[in-house]
Amino acid sequence: MSGVIDDAHAILADLLALAGLEGLPLDRLTITEHDKVLATAWPIAPIATATLAAVGLAASHIQEMRTGEKLSVEMDTRSAEIAMASSSYLEVGGKNAKFRDPFTGLYEAANGEWVFLHGNFPHLRQGLLDLLGAENDSDAIGSAVRQWDAAELEAEAISRNLCAAKVRERSAWEATEQATAIRALPVLQVTRQAPAGLTAWPGGRIDAAQNPLSGLRIIDLSRVIAGPMAGRTFAEHGGTVLLVSGPGLPSIESLVIDTGFGKHACEIDLARDAGRADLAHLAGSADVVLDAYRPGAIGGRGLDRATLHQSNPQLVHVSLSAFSHAGPWSFRRGYDSLVQATMGMTFEAGADRPTLLPCQPLDYLTGYLAAFGAMAALIRRAEEGGSFAVDLSLATTAQWMWEWRNRLGNDSSVPASNPSSSDIADLIATHGTRFGTVRAVRPPLKIGGRLAEFRRPPVPLGSDPAIWPA
């Protein structure tokens, strides 16, 4: 094996151990190595390859449990890397649909420090503009930010429930209370919550032509990328995914499209008693509930983990947050780029200014890890019985990436830029959707020699009723 494949196998072994799946057969996994394609020194290829391999092996094992069939798992490092930048290649109606509000980005503050301002949702952008007392003009914003101490601007934004981060070098992040709070947390926690009888797979044995997760139900309470990718991955392997959005919640259409393949999408108003009752009813017959909102946001509606487990003792509950459930920052909003800036991922030693990574590995890795964690819990539910909890965060994923970078070192051969859409045309598929013709990066895994085929294209939010589809 090559160095990258050796590294991927080492990372994979750790992931399987964290999930309690050390016995999964690695002999059915084939990895093909290609030249590096993402323009970063971070060792994305082995980390992404290992994460996706974990998903594939879990899906293959579930298929074996349900049919007796031992499916191969095939992947390559190029597809794994591109999966970390999927939204960058989305095209709708022949045009690239990648979205980032021009306001969002890195700004120089006082004393040569930097801040990252996130305003991809209108209310977050306007809140920061009001805080700065500036119009939405790049020169005016830059001038206003330069009047602020970076730490003070971050603190004031957080006090207003907005998204701003002081850009830290790695050592500065490690000195924070939050870094101390999450240092001992693994990238993935799969925990048996309470004893219960063994849970049979829904519908018993499935036909060998069906996908591993056929008949399994997941409620997807998430938006943007990380949580929605977990739900999309579940759908990729045959699960029934019900994406639940709320009335009035802002969304980014391109991400709804890119992460919406295979899903049903309904709307439930959790501010109303009837809405909370509807969601509780759905959760009562779900296999997995994915909560990717800030800790306590959904639980505060009477839909916390303990309550859901009490009403559905076989439930797998997945919690995905920005800064984890631990530490003084657990309540903070956070997105991939904001966590990158906070945790020292954007400021390389000796650089004049910070630079965001040319991909969103925290979002995509955490999403795939959440799907893997849910599959691991379902396997253990069938083998051990009980209810399970799965916990992840963007911050613990970033910490995990740092740990592996320290062990593996930087990539020595880094392309000048990410590949263009034409460079990866073989990795892109075309779909007819209600949004128009969509071209999107296809799933990176082959299970049993075939790529996933989603049962339905992405649909606009709220397109379906709040019931489990037949």
Side-chain angles (χ1 to χ4, degrees):
M1 289 189 295
S2 74
V4 171
I5 296 176
D6 280 336
D7 293 341
H9 273 268
I11 300 168
L12 174 61
D14 277 1
L15 284 178
L16 296 179
L18 283 175
L21 299 180
E22 297 95 326
L24 290 195
L26 299 182
D27 59 354
R28 65 185 61 173
L29 171 65
T30 301
I31 301 171
T32 302
E33 184 178 352
H34 292 272
D35 291 339
K36 183 179 177 65
V37 294
L38 294 180
T40 173
W42 281 82
I44 299 293
I47 295 172
T49 298
T51 301
L52 287 161
V55 172
L57 287 173
S60 175
H61 186 63
I62 291 172
Q63 185 80 354
E64 183 180 1
M65 293 175 74
R66 301 185 73 184
T67 68
E69 184 182 18
K70 299 178 181 180
L71 297 179
S72 62
V73 178
E74 302 170 66
M75 59 179 305
D76 65 83
T77 60
R78 175 170 168 260
S79 295
E81 283 193 83
I82 293 300
M84 301 297 104
S86 175
S87 64
S88 297
Y89 296 98
L90 182 76
E91 294 180 7
V92 180
K95 297 181 180 179
N96 184 275
K98 173 73 173 178
F99 173 81
R100 170 170 279 170
D101 192 290
F103 169 88
T104 295
L106 295 154
Y107 295 87
E108 188 173 5
N111 304 315
E113 294 188 316
W114 291 80
V115 294
F116 180 80
L117 305 181
H118 189 287
N120 282 1
F121 289 129
H123 67 292
L124 297 179
R125 179 186 65 234
Q126 190 57 52
L128 288 168
L129 289 171
D130 292 343
L131 167 58
L132 294 168
E135 297 295 321
N136 192 8
D137 170 83
S138 59
D139 291 337
I141 296 165
S143 178
V145 172
R146 282 191 291 273
Q147 308 308 308
W148 280 84
D149 173 84
E152 291 176 358
L153 179 54
E154 176 187 71
E156 182 59 29
I158 297 303
S159 74
R160 301 186 185 199
N161 207 18
L162 302 171
C163 288
K166 175 182 176 179
V167 178
R168 293 167 172 83
E169 295 185 10
R170 179 65 177 166
S171 59
W173 158 254
E174 290 180 327
T176 65
E177 282 188 72
Q178 188 62 24
T180 300
I182 69 171
R183 192 165 289 129
L185 295 179
V187 67
L188 172 68
Q189 292 177 288
V190 181
T191 311
R192 190 167 184 258
Q193 297 291 288
L198 300 181
T199 301
W201 296 103
R205 291 177 66 87
I206 59 174
D207 184 272
Q210 292 178 276
N211 290 315
L213 301 182
S214 295
L216 290 158
R217 295 171 167 178
I218 179 173
I219 295 174
D220 182 350
L221 296 165
S222 69
R223 57 182 178 157
V224 191
I225 296 179
M229 276 305 298
R232 195 190 91 164
T233 304
F234 205 85
E236 179 181 329
H237 297 288
T240 298
V241 180
L242 189 59
L243 171 64
V244 179
S245 58
L249 279 179
S251 63
I252 298 171
E253 186 175 82
S254 62
L255 297 180
V256 171
I257 297 170
D258 197 46
T259 65
F261 286 94
K263 298 181 184 180
H264 298 260
C266 72
E267 183 175 275
I268 296 178
D269 187 355
L270 295 183
R272 299 174 58 247
D273 289 343
R276 293 190 292 274
D278 287 343
L279 186 58
H281 177 71
L282 288 167
S285 57
D287 295 285
V288 179
V289 169
L290 166 68
D291 178 357
Y293 288 89
R294 281 179 294 162
I298 301 295
R301 305 286 191 179
L303 297 161
D304 57 282
R305 174 176 283 172
T307 300
L308 293 175
H309 274 152
Q310 186 174 13
S311 61
N312 182 352
Q314 286 78 39
L315 183 70
V316 172
H317 184 277
V318 182
S319 175
L320 192 165
S321 59
F323 287 101
S324 91
H325 58 274
W329 294 9
S330 62
F331 67 94
R332 290 193 183 186
R333 296 179 186 273
Y335 302 92
D336 181 303
S337 48
L338 187 139
V339 176
Q340 282 187 38
T342 300
M343 293 184 61
M345 299 183 77
T346 64
F347 228 146
E348 298 289 347
D352 294 330
R353 57 175 295 154
T355 306
L356 293 173
L357 273 63
C359 56
Q360 291 167 286
L362 304 185
D363 271 334
Y364 287 105
L365 288 172
T366 308
Y368 284 119
L369 286 168
F372 167 62
M375 291 185 198
L378 291 168
I379 291 169
R380 293 175 59 183
R381 186 182 77 165
E383 294 178 339
E384 304 170 21
S387 57
F388 282 83
V390 181
D391 291 287
L392 315 90
S393 70
L394 301 181
T396 50
T397 298
Q399 175 178 268
W400 179 66
M401 288 184 66
W402 267 113
E403 291 168 357
W404 279 105
R405 186 182 187 184
N406 290 339
R407 290 174 63 174
L408 304 178
N410 290 341
D411 283 342
S412 58
S413 178
V414 179
S417 61
N418 286 2
S420 66
S421 293
S422 60
D423 293 330
I424 60 162
D426 58 311
L427 304 183
I428 293 177
T430 302
H431 311 267
T433 79
R434 288 167 58 182
F435 300 98
T437 299
V438 168
R439 286 174 50 78
V441 174
R442 59 170 172 74
L445 287 168
K446 282 186 178 180
I447 308 292
R450 63 184 184 188
L451 289 169
E453 294 182 6
F454 293 108
R455 289 180 292 173
R456 63 183 345 223
V459 296
L461 297 177
S463 293
D464 301 298
I467 59 174
W468 289 113

